[in-house]
Amino acid sequence: MNKEYMQVTELNCPNSSLDLSIPQVMGILNLTPDSFSDGGKYTQLELALAQVECMIADGASIIDIGGESTRPGALDVSEEDELARVIPVLIAIKQRFNVVVSIDTSKASVMSAAIAAGADMINDVAALRNEGCLAAVAQSTIPVCLMHMQGLPRTMQNNPSYEHVINDIVAFFQQRIEACVNAGIARERIILDPGFGFGKTLEQNFHLLAHLSAFSQLKQPLLIGISRKSMIGNLLNRDVKQRLAGSISAAVIAAQQGANIIRVHDVQETVDALKVLQAVTDNQ
Ligand code: 9MG
């Protein structure tokens, strides 16, 4: 099915383009009071901007901002609250910095408002399956990340099951790419993400990490998010503040297998680790 497609090697955003032949680091800015690792710390605008400035200085080329937690068991956030958390910060970042800003949301209204306010990319853990989302993104020209999730955040870790975890996720991606293209979202705009921790057991998560290169058959850029997640904590028996070494190891393993964008909390340490990997790659 994918043989005739060329590999997408650039991410074209409204005012810039990112070279995906080198792994790019996406820094996480959580604007939720209940976020799992830095909850509540950056809810005020100035603190958020200071954190963004720091992540850019540390080497992040994308900032992913989210106003609704997607951790297992997280409560729903109203449209009004999500808009109030995200839009003023998005506008302020775009005024002050020259960086690609991604909006982590699954609501069509938030996508539309964010696109109107200057968002460079949409990151949807529901892969544009919610009502109105395909149309909201189709009305723009910006890239979109489609993440795989089995179930919903509230219940997704209750006994996830697959016939074959890799093949099932590949089939899911093929369906979602087709839905996007039919809605008017060109393939060149689509990024895929297997969704570590979203409806997967510990073994399924590590199996995915071991076989990440299988997704290269789809020829779309690959984004991965493993930073500080339970798969690291449960494997190492570490609480959330002690998962740096495990998170960096996973980021390097993912980049070695072709991950193009790595979504992380700890930008400086991840950028350093990826530079070491790049030096090895360049000198093979
Ligand atoms: C919002 N969010 C939380 N974890 C994520 C992951 O692994 N990937 C993407 N794309 N978004 C995520």
Side-chain angles (χ1 to χ4, degrees):
M1 167 196 172
N2 303 298
K3 281 207 181 75
E4 70 266 35
Y5 297 114
M6 299 276 286
Q7 175 70 43
V8 178
T9 55
E10 261 189 23
L11 195 66
N12 290 312
C13 299
N15 299 309
S16 58
S17 97
L18 294 179
D19 174 9
L20 297 178
S21 66
I22 301 164
Q24 301 289 331
V25 171
M26 170 187 261
I28 300 169
L29 183 68
N30 280 322
L31 301 173
T32 55
D34 63 340
S35 284
F36 71 103
S37 65
D38 55 4
K41 220 158 116 191
Y42 298 112
T43 45
Q44 293 158 283
L45 184 62
E46 278 312 313
L47 284 173
L49 292 175
Q51 168 73 356
V52 170
E53 186 169 23
C54 192
M55 290 195 285
I56 295 170
D58 287 343
S61 51
I62 308 172
I63 304 295
D64 189 41
I65 68 181
E68 177 170 38
S69 175
T70 50
R71 71 187 162 86
L75 300 175
D76 291 342
V77 171
S78 71
E79 186 182 309
E80 293 71 30
D81 285 351
E82 197 178 331
L83 286 167
R85 287 175 190 172
V86 168
I87 301 300
V89 177
L90 164 63
I91 292 170
I93 295 173
K94 293 306 295 180
Q95 276 170 354
R96 202 176 291 187
F97 305 106
N98 181 18
V99 70
V100 172
V101 181
S102 158
I103 303 300
D104 151 25
T105 185
S106 296
K107 292 189 184 75
S109 56
V110 177
M111 290 175 190
S112 296
I115 290 165
D120 298 290
M121 172 177 162
I122 297 295
N123 172 28
D124 184 7
V125 299
L128 304 185
R129 284 178 291 167
N130 290 342
E131 204 182 328
C133 289
L134 281 167
V137 172
Q139 276 159 18
S140 76
T141 58
I142 65 174
V144 58
C145 177
L146 307 176
M147 200 198 75
H148 174 269
M149 166 168 54
Q150 187 178 86
L152 295 169
R154 202 188 293 244
T155 53
M156 65 190 174
Q157 289 310 106
N158 301 344
N159 199 25
S161 89
Y162 297 85
E163 260 179 46
H164 182 291
V165 66
I166 307 288
N167 294 351
D168 291 6
I169 296 175
V170 167
F172 171 85
F173 283 151
Q174 285 169 331
Q175 286 165 4
R176 295 313 301 156
I177 292 169
E178 198 180 329
C180 283
V181 171
N182 290 341
I185 302 168
R187 293 184 76 95
E188 294 68 33
R189 297 170 56 193
I190 299 174
I191 301 161
L192 303 175
D193 180 339
F196 286 95
F198 286 82
K200 283 118 191 154
T201 63
L202 185 66
E203 291 72 24
Q204 287 160 352
N205 281 313
F206 279 98
H207 185 76
L208 262 185
L209 185 55
H211 296 276
L212 208 55
S213 55
F215 297 107
S216 60
Q217 65 182 287
L218 295 166
K219 308 273 177 77
Q220 304 297 137
L222 200 61
L223 187 155
I224 67 104
I226 303 182
S227 179
R228 300 186 189 173
K229 284 195 176 166
S230 297
M231 64 181 276
I232 303 295
N234 293 343
L235 179 78
L236 304 176
N237 195 19
R238 300 281 187 219
D239 77 31
V240 92
K241 292 199 163 63
Q242 298 177 304
R243 297 178 188 172
L244 179 60
S247 301
I248 292 174
S249 310
V252 170
I253 292 165
Q256 267 181 317
Q257 291 190 74
N260 306 99
I261 302 173
I262 317 284
R263 183 180 183 274
V264 301
H265 300 86
D266 304 290
V267 172
Q268 185 187 56
E269 294 85 348
T270 310
V271 167
D272 281 358
L274 293 173
K275 280 185 183 164
V276 173
L277 175 64
Q278 193 60 40
V280 172
T281 310
D282 292 344
N283 290 286
Q284 262 168 353

